[in-house]
Amino acid sequence: MPADSALVRVSGIHKFFTRGSERVDVLQNLSLEVPAAQFLGLMGPSGSGKTTLLNLIAGLDSPSEGEIWVGDQEISRMSEAQLARWRTRSVGFVFQFYHLMSVLSAYRNVELPLLLLPLSAAERKRQVLTALEIVGLADRIHHKPGQLSGGQQQRVGIARAIVTDPTLIVADEPTGDLDAKSAEEILDLLQELRTSLGKTIIMVTHDPRAASRADRVLHLDKGRLVNETRAEV
Amino acid sequence: MWKFALLVLQNLGRNPLRTTLTVLGTMVLVAVVTLVWSILDFLDKQTAEKSNNLKAIITERWRAPSQMPYSYVRGLSEAGATEPDDFRPLDSMTWAFYGGTIDPKNRTRENSVFAFCMEPEKLLTMMDELDEMQGEPKAEFAATVEKLKQNRRGIIVGRELLANLNKRVGERMVLYGFNYKDINLEVEIVGLFPDSRYNKSSAINIEYLLSALDSYKREHNGTPHPLAANPVNIVWLRVPDMAGYQRASDQILNSPSFSNPAVKIETLASGVGAFLESFRDIIFGMRFLLAPAIIATLALVISNAIGISVRERQMEFAVMKVLGFRPNQLLGLVLVESLLVGTLAGFASAALTYFITNDYFGGINIQIAFFSKFYIPQAALWWGPLMGVGTALAGSFLPAWTARSVKVSDVFAKVA
Ligand SMILES: Nc1ncnc2c1ncn2[C@@H]1O[C@H](COP(=O)(O)OP(=O)(O)OP(=O)(O)O)[C@@H](O)[C@H]1O
Ligand SMILES: [Mg+2]
């Protein structure tokens, strides 16, 4: 049952982990829809399950119960191998600590996900350069991560997230490790991706100022959605 | 697949010091195993050869020097075999010693000739050292032997002897016998021994000695030469193994044909054989315990180096998984990385060991028993790299498996 207008549809999911004999319920009866081309902020206290939810939506883990649809695919039913393939094409990941390969240049880092797709070297090159252009790092392509500032590294991270042209971008505290100015620039960039490229973005953040850049903010507490704040336009 | 090659290479360049140390460690250990294995291989072959192809010496039992009638030769060269299923040796050789000088008035060591009187063809098949010749030198000497066969009065001499006599190949000379008194042989130098232990020796066709003894009898009104009854000094037999030697010995010692005078049979290898038997256990132990132990050490060293590097990259592997790399692709990347190191280091090491040992040092002289020079076999050039690959595989499998099994959800965890 494909979604009407929503790109992401989470319905009635439970997620628990077992620590030894103890069962820890992290997400409980959680439902959520994210329309295409929405910039969604996820907030909540530490341990409330934000990362867990993001991992489920991005296909890094599967829910214990419930369904997750992204576009017309039910990712909660996919095997690990199917999920891996799906992730390469359909989701871009932006990490708090960038997680770039230290030995690879900006160019090679951005190219990494493309190695998994059946593309010619010329096609890869075109896509990598486009992505680096979008994040404004066309002049830094041969730099290694160690030669870039935190903000620049995060831009490389974002370029890597969009290089396969996925519809969905997930970001777990993408500004958490940046100074205010760099954070602003990254948030500008994310907004730009949503407005000019129509990406759907789900961003976890502790920072109310970052959250205020989102179209819509959801609050999570003890594994449940509590209330919703609509960004004032 | 080539698009992943750069990934592998760049990872190797991540820590050049560690990569270098891994390569060096691999090279040293491959070199050690190559040497150990080569020596073992060499000893094993030699041992098998020496105890599987031995010569027996038959001499007169009670007298020295040994003197046996020529009538013994036929029977002895068959090891006394009479029945169809009796044991028969692989080959045989008869020796009669003849000493003579070219200057009977002033006999010196320099103008004296010591000759093996024997069947010419046995020079090629039964004489120690000469029977192991191969290829060009063998063909050359075979031609000389052929001349001795054609010319019953021929003599083959060693290089030093030729110089001492101050003669040239093709010249004739008269030898005045001193053990065979009044038996003078008029010989023509048909050729030389190869440079060998026979440099001071010479060889004469035994037929010539026998016919000279016959002539003596005719010239002395039917009185034979005092040594004519017992001209044979030694009969040699080649037997396939110790069991063959044992049968030859039993047949000869139990035969009534060789009882007057009585003979004895010995083999150099009866002592050596026992010695080699004990050697074989050591060789077995070294080959199947020591060499694997070294390889295991090598695997551990490599595994440790790769393990450290994989643990350092745990997070990167997790990120790659998030990006969609399949577990087996990560496994492959890590394995290929270490295989590359293992193969190249293994090959470089084996090739270096090979060329340094064989070409630079010209082989290694090991002073154990009677063994000759030893070389690294050419096969080392492929089993060196194979060993590198094998140990790299063994050493990197666990780290590679760790990389494969890394948890993706760790990436979003707050600890970096
Ligand atoms: N793999 C796991 N095994 C067991 N428990 C887990 C696992 N992953 C998360 N948890 C638990 O689930 C709960 C929610 O974790 P989660 O990381 O989603 O929180 P979060 O909202 O992202 O917190 P933070 O703001 O600190 O990042 C925590 O109590 C955590 O200990
Ligand atoms: Mg979190």
Side-chain angles (χ1 to χ4, degrees):
Chain A
M1 42 170 202
D4 21 289
S5 65
L7 178 78
V8 179
R9 283 174 18 90
V10 175
S11 64
I13 57 162
H14 281 265
K15 181 66 183 177
F16 60 83
F17 295 103
T18 40
R19 240 184 245 134
S21 58
E22 197 188 349
R23 177 175 141 158
V24 187
D25 288 288
V26 179
L27 298 176
Q28 296 172 57
N29 194 23
L30 190 146
S31 297
L32 157 74
E33 290 196 358
V34 187
Q38 184 173 68
F39 184 176
L40 174 71
L42 262 182
M43 296 191 74
S46 191
S48 57
K50 304 182 295 294
T51 297
T52 305
L53 178 58
L54 202 68
N55 283 350
L56 292 177
I57 293 172
L60 292 176
D61 205 348
S62 296
S64 314
E65 249 175 69
E67 287 178 6
I68 301 173
W69 288 76
V70 176
D72 54 3
Q73 311 244 42
E74 187 183 355
I75 62 164
S76 47
R77 282 222 198 149
M78 290 185 183
S79 70
E80 255 188 69
Q82 286 172 318
L83 280 176
R85 249 179 279 264
W86 175 79
R87 283 198 302 271
T88 306
R89 292 174 184 278
S90 316
V91 202
F93 294 85
V94 180
F95 307 99
Q96 177 177 358
F97 300 104
Y98 334 128
H99 291 316
L100 303 176
M101 309 282 143
S102 56
V103 292
L104 301 182
S105 66
Y107 181 95
R108 297 285 172 204
N109 264 291
V110 176
E111 191 190 27
L112 209 51
L114 295 182
L115 297 182
L116 296 166
L117 300 176
L119 296 173
S120 70
E123 287 169 314
R124 290 204 300 272
K125 183 168 185 180
R126 193 175 50 74
Q127 284 187 232
V128 171
L129 292 180
T130 307
L132 283 167
E133 192 90 27
I134 291 171
V135 301
L137 278 180
D139 56 339
R140 294 280 197 281
I141 61 174
H142 296 305
H143 287 56
K144 295 267 170 78
Q147 302 163 321
L148 297 170
S149 72
Q152 287 170 330
Q153 288 187 55
Q154 192 59 297
R155 283 158 189 267
V156 176
I158 291 171
R160 179 178 63 187
I162 61 174
V163 76
T164 61
D165 197 23
T167 41
L168 178 64
I169 289 173
V170 298
D172 199 346
E173 302 187 34
T175 58
D177 205 43
L178 295 176
D179 60 83
K181 183 167 169 291
S182 305
E184 287 302 317
E185 288 167 6
I186 292 299
L187 292 167
D188 289 344
L189 183 55
L190 289 176
Q191 272 190 321
E192 180 68 17
L193 292 180
R194 171 227 178 290
T195 46
S196 20
L197 298 177
K199 303 289 179 203
T200 307
I201 300 171
I202 302 177
M203 174 182 74
V204 167
T205 184
H206 280 285
D207 178 5
R209 280 204 307 170
S212 71
R213 297 294 205 93
D215 301 327
R216 174 187 167 206
V217 179
L218 292 177
H219 291 266
L220 212 58
D221 194 15
K222 298 195 180 86
R224 293 171 205 273
L225 287 173
V226 280
N227 56 23
E228 185 172 317
T229 42
R230 199 88 205 182
E232 60 280 5
V233 185
Chain B
M1 277 307 112
W2 284 112
K3 55 190 177 183
F4 293 107
L6 196 75
L7 222 53
V8 169
L9 289 181
Q10 254 153 337
N11 270 321
L12 286 175
R14 171 189 304 263
N15 191 333
L17 179 67
R18 186 164 55 219
T19 305
T20 310
L21 287 177
T22 312
V23 167
L24 282 181
T26 309
M27 287 184 67
V28 168
L29 284 155
V30 167
V32 170
V33 176
T34 301
L35 277 170
V36 167
W37 199 269
S38 295
I39 293 175
L40 295 179
D41 194 56
F42 171 80
L43 289 181
D44 199 37
K45 276 207 192 92
Q46 295 261 314
T47 312
E49 215 166 78
K50 293 260 153 65
S51 61
N52 282 335
N53 192 357
L54 24 110
K55 287 176 190 160
I57 307 164
I58 306 166
T59 50
E60 191 186 350
R61 174 165 290 245
W62 304 119
R63 230 174 355 164
S66 147
Q67 292 179 324
M68 299 178 285
Y70 192 72
S71 58
Y72 271 23
V73 167
R74 242 189 118 119
L76 284 179
S77 57
E78 290 282 279
T82 49
E83 304 302 318
D85 53 351
D86 277 352
F87 172 80
R88 281 174 174 77
L90 303 172
D91 202 352
S92 65
M93 172 170 70
T94 308
W95 275 357
F97 303 134
Y98 174 88
T101 172
I102 56 173
D103 185 359
K105 297 197 185 70
N106 180 25
R107 189 178 117 196
T108 63
R109 201 201 309 226
E110 279 68 39
N111 63 29
S112 295
V113 169
F114 174 83
F116 297 101
C117 300
M118 56 185 290
E119 306 96 321
E121 65 273 13
K122 304 298 183 183
L123 282 165
L124 285 165
T125 62
M126 282 296 286
M127 294 287 270
D128 280 351
E129 203 173 329
L130 301 180
D131 60 0
E132 284 168 9
M133 283 197 300
Q134 301 290 336
E136 183 65 22
K138 180 177 183 176
E140 212 169 277
F141 185 57
T144 307
V145 168
E146 192 54 37
K147 282 185 201 155
L148 186 64
K149 267 200 228 170
Q150 303 301 326
N151 184 351
R152 202 164 72 166
R153 300 194 162 201
I155 185 170
I156 295 177
V157 299
R159 283 130 208 268
E160 273 180 59
L161 179 60
L162 188 76
N164 287 341
L165 295 172
N166 200 17
K167 298 279 182 195
R168 260 168 293 280
V169 173
E171 283 189 67
R172 287 165 191 271
M173 57 189 175
V174 177
L175 302 177
Y176 298 89
F178 47 79
N179 61 339
Y180 285 90
K181 232 173 166 28
D182 297 326
I183 299 291
N184 302 332
L185 302 179
E186 207 184 323
V187 292
E188 179 184 338
I189 303 172
V190 296
L192 295 178
F193 274 114
D195 188 13
S196 62
R197 70 177 74 169
Y198 303 106
N199 284 347
K200 288 180 177 165
S201 312
S202 62
I204 292 173
N205 193 330
I206 193 168
E207 298 286 342
Y208 186 27
L209 177 66
L210 296 175
S211 74
L213 288 170
D214 284 348
S215 307
Y216 179 97
K217 189 175 168 184
R218 279 198 306 275
E219 287 159 14
H220 291 78
N221 308 316
T223 313
H225 188 275
L227 291 180
N230 292 305
V232 174
N233 300 103
I234 297 177
V235 173
W236 291 83
L237 300 181
R238 187 190 290 281
V239 292
D241 48 26
M242 283 307 285
Y245 166 74
Q246 209 50 57
R247 292 193 62 193
S249 175
D250 290 347
Q251 284 174 194
I252 288 169
L253 298 182
N254 293 331
S255 164
S257 318
F258 316 117
S259 54
N260 186 27
V263 298
K264 65 178 194 287
I265 175 167
E266 294 160 304
T267 171
L268 258 181
S270 44
V272 169
F275 169 73
L276 286 180
E277 276 313 309
S278 60
F279 229 108
R280 294 202 119 165
D281 291 342
I282 300 176
I283 292 173
F284 180 89
M286 300 231 303
R287 180 173 270 191
F288 294 104
L289 299 174
L290 182 64
I294 296 175
I295 292 176
T297 314
L298 173 54
L300 280 177
V301 168
I302 294 184
S303 142
N304 191 43
I306 296 171
I308 293 172
S309 126
V310 166
R311 269 192 297 283
E312 271 176 7
R313 282 145 65 192
Q314 197 80 356
M315 184 55 83
E316 293 193 355
F317 288 127
V319 172
M320 288 172 80
K321 259 195 184 175
V322 170
L323 298 181
F325 278 79
R326 247 72 49 69
N328 286 337
Q329 285 174 319
L330 297 180
L331 183 83
L333 282 176
V334 175
L335 285 185
V336 164
E337 198 178 308
S338 57
L339 283 187
L340 200 68
V341 171
T343 317
L344 292 183
F347 180 73
S349 176
L352 272 178
T353 315
Y354 179 88
F355 287 110
I356 289 179
T357 308
N358 295 2
D359 292 348
Y360 184 74
F361 287 115
I364 289 176
N365 244 325
I366 37 174
Q367 306 288 348
I368 312 175
F370 40 79
F371 298 117
S372 42
K373 270 199 170 182
F374 125 91
Y375 296 92
I376 307 277
Q378 207 150 33
L381 291 180
W382 62 262
W383 48 255
L386 213 67
M387 195 154 59
V389 173
T391 45
L393 253 185
S396 62
F397 195 78
L398 216 67
W401 195 260
T402 321
R404 184 194 189 280
S405 330
V406 78
K407 277 194 70 186
V408 288
S409 42
D410 291 352
V411 183
F412 282 119
K414 270 195 162 174
V415 279

